[in-house]
Amino acid sequence: MSRDVMLHIDASLDADAQRRLIALLAERFGIATDIHNTTKPHLLFFSTHPEHAPPQRILAAVREQGYHAQMVDL
């Protein structure tokens, strides 16, 4: 079952950085590439399947890119 999550990144991402990060997560974990738009550049909302993409693995991938982040299950 798909689950909506919010990724809180301790840095503001420009549109290009958001696209690159989402593309990486989509490639590795199959998350939806159509993230929910927000006016807050440090938040990303997307759908994922927890059994295929455990939150710890998503956070590890984000941190590999040099970002500090937390995931909030919605």
Side-chain angles (χ1 to χ4, degrees), residues 1-7 36 43-48 71-74:
M1 176 196 293
S2 168
R3 178 175 285 172
D4 289 338
V5 296
M6 176 180 74
L7 189 61
H36 307 287
L43 299 177
L44 297 177
F45 295 90
F46 54 87
S47 295
T48 186
M71 188 170 296
V72 180
D73 189 8
L74 300 176

Side-chain angles (χ1 to χ4, degrees), residues 21 24-25 28-29 56-69:
L21 186 56
L24 172 85
L25 297 176
R28 285 194 188 176
F29 304 108
Q56 304 88 335
R57 291 185 59 210
I58 292 174
L59 283 175
V62 171
R63 291 175 179 156
E64 285 173 8
Q65 301 305 306
Y67 299 112
H68 182 263

Side-chain angles (χ1 to χ4, degrees), residues 26-42:
E27 179 182 309
R28 285 194 188 176
F29 304 108
I31 70 160
T33 56
D34 57 334
I35 63 169
H36 307 287
N37 289 329
T38 176
T39 59
K40 307 216 185 276
H42 64 289

